[in-house]
Amino acid sequence: MSILLPTISTSFIVISGILVACGWYAVAKKQIDKHMKIMKWAAICATIFFITYVSRTAFVGNTHFGGPDSLKPIYQTFLVFHIVLATVGGVMGLVTLRHAYKNNIAAHRKIGPWTSIVWFVTAITGVTVYTLLYIIYPGGETAGVLDVIFGK
């Protein structure tokens, strides 16, 4: 089984998370133009992640957990948490970007820090899922996303 696409998609979410941290630092230093450029690149990297992930899911499928059966329920619970968090983070990211592009700075300042925190946790849990699926344990068979999540 090739881990090329999962490695590419995970790399982009990590880069996106790092860029969000850099953008947060820039805005704290009142470097607004720099913040805007960094956050645009963070959004681009998150979009590349999403396209890569959805393409892999559609054309190849998702990977079953290849670790011990005793850890499978814990892994699946963690996976569901990650997926929900990623979905919430993605929606929050779109809302945050919309506020920025509409120059609604007050709303952007309110949601932006929360969006960043959710995105950091999403990136960390995403790397954890990747590590469990492809580094620590051998990946299992590929199947549809619902079969992977619910263990069918």
Side-chain angles (χ1 to χ4, degrees), residues 30-112:
K30 307 282 191 236
Q31 299 170 336
I32 305 304
D33 287 339
K34 187 174 185 179
H35 168 77
M36 289 170 49
K37 288 177 187 172
I38 292 170
M39 292 311 224
K40 284 178 189 175
W41 279 107
I44 289 168
C45 288
T47 302
I48 293 170
F49 155 77
F50 183 73
I51 291 168
T52 311
Y53 176 79
V54 170
S55 297
R56 181 173 55 92
T57 298
F59 297 114
V60 178
N62 284 76
T63 304
H64 277 282
F65 180 63
D69 287 341
S70 61
L71 293 180
K72 195 171 187 176
I74 296 167
Y75 169 79
Q76 288 172 312
T77 302
F78 185 81
L79 179 62
V80 169
F81 171 75
H82 167 70
I83 291 169
V84 169
L85 194 65
T87 303
V88 169
V91 171
M92 288 177 75
L94 291 172
V95 170
T96 304
L97 287 169
R98 184 173 191 278
H99 286 313
Y101 282 110
K102 295 284 185 176
N103 208 27
N104 187 352
I105 302 305
H108 180 78
R109 282 183 181 166
K110 282 183 183 178
I111 193 173

Side-chain angles (χ1 to χ4, degrees), residues 9-25:
S9 65
T10 302
S11 297
F12 275 104
I13 206 61
V14 168
I15 293 167
S16 175
I18 291 168
L19 288 171
V20 167
C22 293
W24 209 5
Y25 181 79

